[in-house]
Amino acid sequence: MARRRQLYEGKAKILFEGPEPGTIVQYFKDDATAGNGAKSGVITGKGVLNNRISEHLMLSLQEIGIPTHFIRRINMREQLVKEVEIIPLEVVVRNIAAGSIAKRFGIEEGKRLPRSIVEFYYKNDALNDPLVSEDHIIAFGWACPHDLEEMTGLAMRVNDFLCGLFAGIGIQLVDFKLEFGRAWEGEDMRIVLADEISPDNCRLWDTQTNEKLDKDRFRRDMGSVKEAYQEVARRLGILLEEGNSTEHKPTDTPV
Ligand code: ADP
Ligand code: MG
């Protein structure tokens, strides 16, 4: 088979041209970075876990009518998605204070916020992804007021749904980052959820113990990073047991 053309290599994924026009393949790497690349490492198996977790969450969101770029998983590390024009914003939804909001406003980490808060960051590594206001976004033309309203509405629906989904498996959804893109169908444009949803871009705390089950374990050198991601996958009911991969499951294997 002819090698697919590589379109982009990011910090966590590689994008390849997809088999049909308007599609791309997301390849999930084991590379991990934090602090905008200041810290980097490899978490063996992370790519496989994030590919599965993101597939599961995107499909669940599609079921409640959230438009996403997800088409299908191809293999352990790759998924086929609709190519979109990424809106250069990181849309962050927060339920509990942690990370930069705790620091910026001097709120104790772990304190529940008075209500869910949606924030926008300009997606630009060279500038360290600065926090921006809706006025910045509109004035600089990154999105129009209608797109912004659409993204905020979708982000809040995603939050409501994921809070419930994770609560059901003993996990608090502290905060998460989303990316949206413009999907064109002829003249028509639709804003769809893109990129990935995984423990790389969510803060997930065990409800009972507050144990962190996300990338903060890597950022803060807490160890057991892969095990934490595995625990999230296990609770979601999608962990592929070693030696019992559903990829090539013999039909006579007792379950
Ligand atoms: P980065 O280091 O920029 O965060 P990643 O390693 O996360 O990159 O790779 C994914 C890249 O692909 C991101 O830049 C993201 O914005 C982009 N992307 C995600 N989904 C799509 C899509 N459906 N179409 C086009 N680009 C996408
Ligand atoms: Mg990324």
Side-chain angles (χ1 to χ4, degrees):
M1 198 176 84
R3 260 191 83 82
R4 293 162 304 179
R5 196 158 67 89
Q6 183 174 316
L7 302 173
Y8 175 80
E9 175 156 10
K11 297 184 291 289
K13 299 184 287 297
I14 305 174
L15 304 184
F16 295 97
E17 225 169 41
E20 299 106 36
T23 64
I24 57 175
V25 173
Q26 278 194 321
Y27 174 96
F28 286 71
K29 303 192 286 183
D30 286 344
D31 298 357
T33 62
N36 191 17
K39 180 184 164 84
S40 68
V42 170
I43 303 164
T44 306
K46 173 175 83 81
V48 174
L49 288 161
N50 281 354
N51 187 25
R52 286 300 296 232
I53 293 170
S54 196
E55 171 196 22
H56 180 78
L57 298 178
M58 292 277 182
L59 285 175
S60 305
L61 288 164
Q62 280 178 4
E63 273 174 31
I64 61 151
I66 305 275
T68 89
H69 71 162
F70 185 82
I71 300 173
R72 64 184 159 82
R73 189 163 60 84
I74 299 169
N75 57 42
M76 300 278 275
R77 284 192 184 267
E78 295 179 323
Q79 54 179 247
L80 186 68
V81 301
K82 201 179 289 169
E83 183 168 26
V84 301
E85 208 178 279
I86 289 286
I87 296 169
L89 297 170
E90 304 207 329
V91 182
V92 173
V93 184
R94 301 177 180 277
N95 300 303
I96 294 171
S100 68
I101 200 171
K103 214 182 279 171
R104 184 177 306 117
F105 299 113
I107 309 170
E108 191 191 339
E109 191 160 87
K111 200 166 156 48
R112 183 159 285 278
L113 296 164
R115 64 171 178 83
S116 301
I117 294 175
V118 179
E119 295 175 335
F120 298 95
Y121 293 82
Y122 178 42
K123 198 172 141 56
N124 185 317
D125 284 346
L127 298 174
N128 248 320
D129 301 336
L131 178 70
V132 293
S133 73
E134 300 199 1
D135 232 28
H136 292 132
I137 295 168
I138 293 161
F140 294 128
W142 299 320
C144 68
H146 173 266
D147 294 350
L148 255 179
E149 208 175 297
E150 185 77 13
M151 284 188 284
T152 306
L154 287 172
M156 288 186 327
R157 282 174 63 197
V158 170
N159 185 46
D160 284 345
F161 178 77
L162 291 186
C163 275
L165 183 147
F166 281 116
I169 53 172
I171 291 174
Q172 310 173 71
L173 180 60
V174 173
D175 57 36
F176 59 95
K177 181 269 287 185
L178 300 176
E179 290 182 26
F180 292 94
R182 298 187 180 91
W184 292 94
E185 272 156 41
E187 297 284 280
D188 296 330
M189 188 275 285
R190 236 180 21 149
I191 302 245
V192 306
L193 187 57
D195 203 51
E196 68 174 284
I197 309 177
S198 73
D200 265 14
N201 37 48
C202 299
R203 284 197 173 88
L204 303 168
W205 295 359
D206 181 88
T207 308
Q208 299 293 320
T209 63
N210 278 344
E211 188 191 359
K212 296 185 197 314
L213 299 171
D214 56 63
K215 202 167 92 173
D216 270 349
R217 299 198 73 86
F218 171 77
R219 291 189 188 98
R220 303 180 188 188
D221 296 316
M222 297 170 76
S224 305
V225 187
K226 182 193 176 178
E227 289 73 14
Y229 284 47
Q230 260 171 345
E231 178 60 14
V232 173
R234 189 188 68 77
R235 291 195 200 181
L236 287 170
I238 55 173
L239 184 64
L240 299 172
E241 302 290 345
E242 259 161 66
N244 184 24
S245 159
T246 55
E247 300 295 302
H248 305 286
K249 200 171 191 172
T251 47
D252 59 350
T253 302
V255 185

